[in-house]
Amino acid sequence: MQPKLNVFELPTQFEPEELSGTTAVVIDVLRATTTILYALDAGAAEVIPCLEIDDALAAAAGYPRAQVVLGGERGGLRIEGFDLGNSPLEYDAPAVAGKTVVMTTTNGTRAMTRCHAAEEVLLGAFVNAAALTSRLMSRQRIALICAGSNDEVTRDDVLLAGLLVDRLQRGSRNAYRLNGQAIDARQCWIDAIPPSMASGGEKIPPGLLADQLRKSLAGQKLVAIGMEDDLYAAAQLDRFLLVPELDLATMRIRPNASAGIG
C-alpha cells in the first residue's frame, strides 16, 4: 500500500476523526513546538499543554511550587504572574531542569487538542527536523498539522512542513501520496532555499533560514514586539535529537530521543 502524507495549513482544515490511524505532527515553529523542544533538551521532565490560562494555573497547582514552571504567552508576551513566556531562549537548564513545565500558548496548544483521534502525536520544529524525519520513515499515514497564527496561515509552519515532505519523499523507497497542500508546501520550501541547500547538499546557515522565518506572519509579529532573537533560535536546523510525543491519555509531552541520526 502506498504511504500517505497530508499537510494541513491550519488545524481547522480537518475534522479530528480524519486523523484516526495516523501519525500527526504538530508544527508551531514560532514558537510553541520550538520552545517545548528547547525545554525538554534542557532537562524538563515533561510539558503539560493547556488551552486556557485558568487551565494552566489549575494544572500547576497540583505540583509543589519548586517542581513546576508556568510558561506561556498572550499576544506573544509573557502572561502576568507566569514564570516564563514563550521564548525558547528562556527555557534553559537553570530554569526548567527536572521540573514540570505547564504551558499555554495562543496557537500550538490549540492545534494539539485537534489531534485527539490520531494514533500518535509528535511535535516538530526546524530544530528537530532530522530526528523527526527519521522517526516518520516507518509510518504509513502521516499528517503534518500547521498551527497557524490566530487562524491565519503562516509561512514558518508551511516551510517546515515542506522541508519534511521533501526529506520524506527523497528518503522513502515508496513515494508518498501527497495531498495538494503537501505538494504546495514542498514547493514553498524548494523555492525559499538555494537548490544545493534545499536538497541537503549543503548546510543551511541559521541566518538564511531566520530570514525566511522573518517573512512569515508569525515572524513579523515577533519582530514587532522586539523578539527577533527567537527567529535565530528557531532556525537552528537539526539541533536536537528529540522527538517529543504527546501522551493523549494524560496530555503530557515527554522527550523521546531518536537514534540512528548522524
Side-chain angles (χ1 to χ4, degrees), residues 23 37 43 55 59 67 72 81 110 133 142 149 152 193 199 204 207 225 240 256 260:
T23 294
L37 273 149
D55 297 333
Q67 295 178 17
R110 284 166 171 75
T133 301
I142 301 168
S149 179
E152 295 185 75
I193 303 297
S199 63
I204 299 173
I225 61 175
F240 302 132
N256 213 329

Side-chain angles (χ1 to χ4, degrees), residues 31 74-77 219-228 230:
R31 294 166 291 173
R74 289 297 182 267
L77 301 174
Q220 292 168 11
K221 290 179 178 179
L222 287 177
V223 171
I225 61 175
M227 305 194 78
E228 191 166 357
D230 286 355

